[in-house]
Amino acid sequence: MDELVDALVPQLRALVELADQDGHMTDAAAALGVPQSTMSRRIHGLERHLGVPLIVPAGRAVVLTEQARTLVAEIRGPLAEIGGAVTDLAEAADPDHGIIRFGFPLTMGAGVIPDLLAAFSAEHPGIRLDLKQAHGAVLVDDLRGGLLDAAIIIPPPRQLPHVVLANQLIVAVVPAGHRLAHRSTVSLTELAEERFIANPESYNLRTLTDAWCLQAGFAPQVKTEVTEFSTIREFVSRGMGVALLPRSVRPVDGLAEVALRGSGYVREVALVTAVRRPSRVVQRLHDFIVDRAGEWTAADGIRASS
């Protein structure tokens, strides 16, 4: 049995990496730090052991069969946990050093997240943070693929281990000279005739915007679609429309942010980990962030989760 495990673990890791590299054998071999010939032997050895085809040639790459894709989905988590256990043993000898691959949304590059990471680095100078900013769907894929150890994601993916830290407040963003700019609150019905600037339909906030407006009795007239919140704010400041966005960390010239009347105009901010049992170094950052979640304030467009 030990010999079987010794043989299968490298082969299974090779299959997962091949899936992550979209069937490019050379890239997968490089990611694992082995020659391409070794990579190929591992995949074909796994095929022989299982008695099923795992790859099909496709030009300069290969395509994983349905059986291979099913197997990858089943073994990705357990392999990550094995890696975490090995990392734990290494960290036990030197718990103050290590690397954490951490992700957070493009929309949270200022304010509370940089403050938290800077404070963590000051307390733990021996731990290196490899940071990635990306769209939430990319962060989820990277967590699943083992490319990230943990990430802040809005809203949390229900299928991955996570803890809700806070709620992100959503407000109406209008040009500074808009008829509603000096109001303390506004109801969504008062925006029914406005032109909206919003994210594409695949984005979570766009889904919420459409749903909230429909609940208020109208379909938003989305005239401009933009991926980045900062660009949406630029267009709003130029009078191209209004938007529903998180409250900005810093004042933006030409804009007014007005609270939405009623409840429920929030998004959950969550800390998500890649595996059920993160390594000790990753757990250290996890605990650090969770312990300070109560310090997040409405000034950051965020309020502590109740």
Side-chain angles (χ1 to χ4, degrees), residues 9-302:
V9 169
Q11 292 174 353
L12 293 172
R13 286 189 62 217
L15 183 63
V16 171
E17 190 61 46
L18 187 60
D20 291 341
Q21 299 297 332
D22 296 324
H24 293 280
M25 195 75 71
T26 302
D27 294 342
L32 292 176
V34 300
Q36 183 172 339
S37 58
T38 300
M39 181 75 185
S40 181
R41 282 197 302 272
R42 289 179 180 178
I43 297 297
H44 292 307
L46 185 59
E47 285 183 317
R48 288 192 299 272
H49 175 79
L50 297 176
V52 297
L54 297 176
I55 57 174
V56 177
R60 295 185 177 181
V62 297
V63 175
L64 270 65
T65 64
E66 183 177 353
Q67 295 99 319
R69 293 194 299 271
T70 300
L71 180 59
V72 167
E74 292 291 334
I75 65 175
R76 187 186 295 279
L79 283 177
E81 294 222 18
I82 291 171
V86 173
T87 300
D88 272 356
L89 289 177
E91 289 174 355
D94 188 8
D96 295 321
H97 292 80
I99 300 173
I100 303 173
R101 301 164 300 170
F102 187 79
F104 56 101
L106 294 166
T107 56
M108 300 187 79
V112 63
I113 299 302
D115 289 345
L116 281 171
L117 296 178
F120 180 82
S121 291
E123 286 192 19
H124 306 284
I127 298 177
R128 192 179 90 193
L129 296 176
D130 286 355
L131 304 178
K132 177 174 183 176
Q133 274 188 277
H135 183 263
V138 174
L139 297 177
V140 170
D141 287 344
D142 285 352
L143 285 167
R144 287 175 175 159
L147 301 177
L148 288 175
D149 299 307
I152 298 290
I153 299 180
I154 308 172
R158 301 302 175 184
Q159 68 275 26
L160 290 177
H162 67 271
V163 56
V164 175
L165 300 171
N167 291 318
Q168 184 182 60
L169 303 174
I170 305 300
V171 298
V173 181
V174 301
H178 192 274
R179 60 186 173 86
L180 301 173
H182 298 292
R183 295 271 294 275
S184 58
T185 64
V186 62
S187 67
L188 269 183
T189 55
E190 295 177 90
L191 301 175
E193 301 303 319
E194 298 285 344
R195 294 174 299 171
F196 276 73
I197 305 171
N199 295 135
E201 292 182 353
S202 61
Y203 281 56
N204 170 257
L205 188 53
R206 172 61 181 277
T207 300
L208 292 175
T209 295
D210 290 346
W212 289 336
C213 290
L214 287 174
Q215 289 172 6
F218 69 97
Q221 303 177 51
V222 177
K223 300 298 184 181
T224 306
E225 290 187 347
V226 185
T227 58
E228 301 302 323
F229 290 174
S230 59
T231 308
I232 291 177
R233 290 189 175 95
E234 289 288 337
F235 286 150
V236 172
S237 72
R238 287 161 172 75
M240 291 177 60
V242 302
L244 301 184
L245 293 175
R247 192 178 295 278
S248 58
V249 176
R250 301 181 182 89
V252 179
D253 291 339
L255 290 184
E257 296 182 341
V258 186
L260 292 169
R261 195 175 305 142
S263 60
Y265 300 113
V266 297
R267 300 197 299 168
E268 289 183 331
V269 180
L271 177 59
V272 186
T273 50
V275 296
R276 289 187 295 275
R277 188 176 62 83
S279 70
R280 289 186 178 92
V281 170
V282 174
Q283 188 66 46
R284 180 167 288 181
L285 176 61
H286 179 283
D287 294 344
F288 184 91
I289 293 175
V290 170
D291 288 346
R292 285 158 178 76
E295 301 173 8
W296 296 14
T297 66
D300 299 304
I302 294 172

